[in-house]
Amino acid sequence: MTAPLKIGIAGLGTVGANVARLLIEQSAALNVRAGRKLTFAGATARDKRKDRGVDLSGVEWFADPVAMAKSPAIDVFVELMGGEGDPAKAAVEAALAAGKPVVTANKALLAHHGAKLAAAAEAKGLALNFEAAVAGGIPIIKSVREGLAANRLERVYGILNGTCNYILTTMESSGRAFGDVLAEAQKLGYAEADPTFDIGGMDTAHKLCLLAAVAFGNAPALDGIHVEGIERITPHDIVFAREFGYRIKLLGVATRSDGGIEQRVHPAMVPLGTPLADVDGVYNAVVAEGDLVGKSVYEGRGAGAGPTASAVLADILDIARGPRLPTFGAPAASLKRPAITPMGDHQGACYLRFTVIDRPGVIAVISRCLADQAVSIESMLQRSRAPGEAVPVVFITHEAREAALTRAIKAIVTAGVVAEEPCMIRMERF
Ligand code: NAP
Ligand code: HSE
């Protein structure tokens, strides 16, 4: 009989407390699936006295995550504290140095230090599992790294942030304000400790570079990602999008070409009736396009205690069962930094909303600035108010180079015809 596997959990918040509770309450079923006994042996968090709804009697408490990572009291280190730096980084490094496999849900840590940590794990022949870090409960890392391993993947993209998708969907269905819906998402345990990571797009960027690393076999490249959030999306944009036959979603898109990889995170117009447009609430969805499989779509809950614990426990079960796969699906020594295609080279159509004072000649100025940059207009819509009042004017462009669009928008602002900062949302026609 294989010896029990002693689990140490660092971080007992939304995710960690639920993993701990399930290890205790579901122990019989988990032991059968693991093929050995799993023991919740060690725990650490900031405040020992906090009631977490988990029975910690018989579990060794550590004041310091690094001390737990090194302790012989545990065999597997489960990092659920979050944050790109210490103590998460130091503790994961300490666990790997001490010969212990690691499970983490921490996309910020891996987006910044993934290649180094993968090399440290590989040098010791250890697992560094991070299924929960990307798209919560969807087993997308396993699907891409193992299930699609025979494919050359050209593009991976999707809705990777449950908080943003929840906010956009709820704003649309209820007409409620952005801040009000964000507070609700935080209460439901979807949002990061710092919610600006969610709404500003950085959480999606963290996940996208991990997904791209596994899909394309490169080191996670966070610094090359173009990132925009959803803060400037208004109810106007949501209504206009519908009128044009689209919904607005925060997407992460990674595309491989001969010149390198393009990675971008921004709100996008997604055509109604396509798989991503129908993904609502806290759900995430990922599309992977491979030469053999074509397009495959994965959908599920992207955040929250249950879905995330599902992924963390699956990673623990993988370790209990053995054997180990390379962290990013290729030997760490082959993980080179990819060449990054600049966002200015991106080709695409876009939705442009200008708030203008309704007076003669304004549309002519905007059209001239677009024409000067060879940006062609596909359609236009204006909701009129009284002459002299500010009014939204919306254009959908044909495909154009991002750099040309940016120059055109700058010229329009400089021409003094807009009353507030223009809103640009890229169209995605997958
Ligand atoms: P959380 O609720 O804020 O919990 C964080 C836990 O870590 C708390 O128990 C906290 O201790 C502990 N902690 C924080 N700093 C610490 C330190 N310096 N030393 C020791 N313990 C420390 O966070 P969460 O939502 O569970 O997220 C945990 C990780 O999972 C993050 O990496 C997050 O990105 C990732 N994740 C979360 C979700 C989700 O839906 N929430 C989904 C996927 C991935 P105290 O309780 O004592 O304050
Ligand atoms: N804050 C993240 C989200 C948690 O909303 O998707 C899951 O990673």
Side-chain angles (χ1 to χ4, degrees), residues 105-115 130 132-134 141 144 156 203-222 225 263 327-328:
N106 189 340
K107 52 260 171 172
L109 174 71
L110 290 182
H112 285 275
H113 309 292
F130 63 98
V134 183
I141 297 302
V144 171
V156 283
D203 179 75
T204 299
H206 288 151
K207 294 167 180 169
L208 183 69
C209 76
L210 299 180
L211 185 60
V214 174
F216 305 147
N218 54 252
L222 181 67
I225 305 185
Q263 301 180 107
T327 303
F328 290 107

Side-chain angles (χ1 to χ4, degrees), residues 215-375:
F216 305 147
N218 54 252
L222 181 67
D223 56 348
I225 305 185
H226 174 90
V227 185
E228 292 172 30
I230 63 166
E231 308 94 322
R232 291 183 42 237
I233 303 296
T234 66
H236 277 317
D237 298 316
I238 292 173
V239 171
F240 283 134
R242 273 272 174 192
E243 289 200 28
F244 283 111
Y246 294 86
R247 288 182 87 192
I248 300 174
K249 297 289 177 190
L250 183 74
L251 296 190
V253 183
T255 311
R256 165 152 73 175
S257 69
D258 292 339
I261 63 170
E262 178 192 88
Q263 301 180 107
R264 52 195 170 91
V265 172
H266 52 73
M269 295 279 173
V270 178
L272 291 174
T274 56
L276 293 186
D278 291 336
V279 177
D280 281 339
V282 73
Y283 277 72
N284 283 190
V286 179
V287 183
E289 295 176 0
D291 55 350
L292 306 178
V293 76
K295 200 181 273 193
S296 55
V297 183
Y298 309 80
E299 184 179 346
R301 286 182 193 275
T308 313
S310 159
V312 170
L313 287 167
D315 276 350
I316 294 173
L317 288 172
D318 269 357
I319 289 167
R321 292 164 174 159
R324 190 193 59 86
L325 293 161
T327 303
F328 290 107
S334 72
L335 296 174
K336 301 281 179 273
R337 195 190 142 68
I340 301 293
T341 311
M343 191 64 185
D345 288 350
H346 172 67
Q347 281 279 352
C350 79
Y351 159 105
L352 296 172
R353 173 174 52 78
F354 301 102
T355 303
V356 302
I357 302 300
D358 194 357
R359 58 179 158 77
V362 168
I363 303 293
V365 171
I366 295 176
S367 310
R368 182 76 263 145
C369 293
L370 290 168
D372 285 348
Q373 296 300 330
V375 176

Side-chain angles (χ1 to χ4, degrees), residues 56-71:
L56 292 175
S57 55
V59 177
E60 185 170 345
W61 183 268
F62 291 84
D64 172 18
V66 174
M68 186 174 81
K70 293 177 178 169
S71 168

Side-chain angles (χ1 to χ4, degrees), residues 181-219:
V181 184
L182 170 62
E184 186 174 281
Q186 286 176 286
K187 230 190 297 164
L188 290 166
Y190 303 152
E192 295 301 305
D194 177 358
T196 56
F197 270 39
D198 293 298
I199 60 178
M202 191 45 73
D203 179 75
T204 299
H206 288 151
K207 294 167 180 169
L208 183 69
C209 76
L210 299 180
L211 185 60
V214 174
F216 305 147
N218 54 252

